[in-house]
Amino acid sequence: MLPTGKDEGYGWVVVGAVFIINVIVAGYIKSFGLLLLAIQEYFPDASNLAMGLVMSLLNGCRGLTAPMMGAITVLIGARTCVVIGAILTSSGLLLAVFSTNMIHIAFTIGAIAG
């Protein structure tokens, strides 16, 4: 006997949201090299060390928080974690629009969006 779902169809909304978030974040990380050229043109005085810091924070924060998010998902639920992740990722990317230096980009794109 198959289990009956009690989510009233919202399970597919969660699956769709997780899929879209993964496409955006994974695509953003994979294509960051292209965006790095635009950042170098906008901040011509930025060093390669600062550029590498942004990329390493982006990958590092994502990799280090993944095990914690697994535990948090068990505690508070998948829906809440998806909403929190979407808010953090989108706020990090939106706050990067107002960046005035590489430290701000490293914090917004690297730490918050990562």
Side-chain angles (χ1 to χ4, degrees):
M1 176 182 240
L2 294 173
T4 60
K6 296 185 181 194
D7 63 358
E8 298 172 359
Y10 291 109
W12 287 109
V13 174
V14 173
V15 170
V18 170
F19 175 75
I20 291 171
I21 289 170
N22 281 322
V23 166
I24 290 171
V25 172
Y28 183 75
I29 289 173
K30 298 291 184 188
S31 66
F32 189 73
L34 297 174
L35 295 172
L36 197 61
L37 296 174
I39 292 172
Q40 281 180 332
E41 287 179 11
Y42 192 75
F43 297 110
D45 297 334
S47 66
N48 288 336
L49 177 68
M51 299 291 178
L53 177 67
V54 175
M55 188 63 188
S56 63
L57 278 173
L58 182 64
N59 284 325
C61 288
R62 185 174 184 230
L64 289 174
T65 57
M68 290 185 291
M69 285 310 296
I72 292 172
T73 301
V74 171
L75 291 176
I76 63 174
R79 293 179 187 171
T80 308
C81 285
V82 167
V83 170
I84 291 170
I87 289 170
L88 283 174
T89 302
S90 60
S91 64
L93 294 176
L94 289 174
L95 287 173
V97 172
F98 306 107
S99 298
T100 57
N101 57 28
M102 286 304 295
I103 299 298
H104 190 244
I105 288 178
F107 180 72
T108 55
I109 293 177
I112 296 175

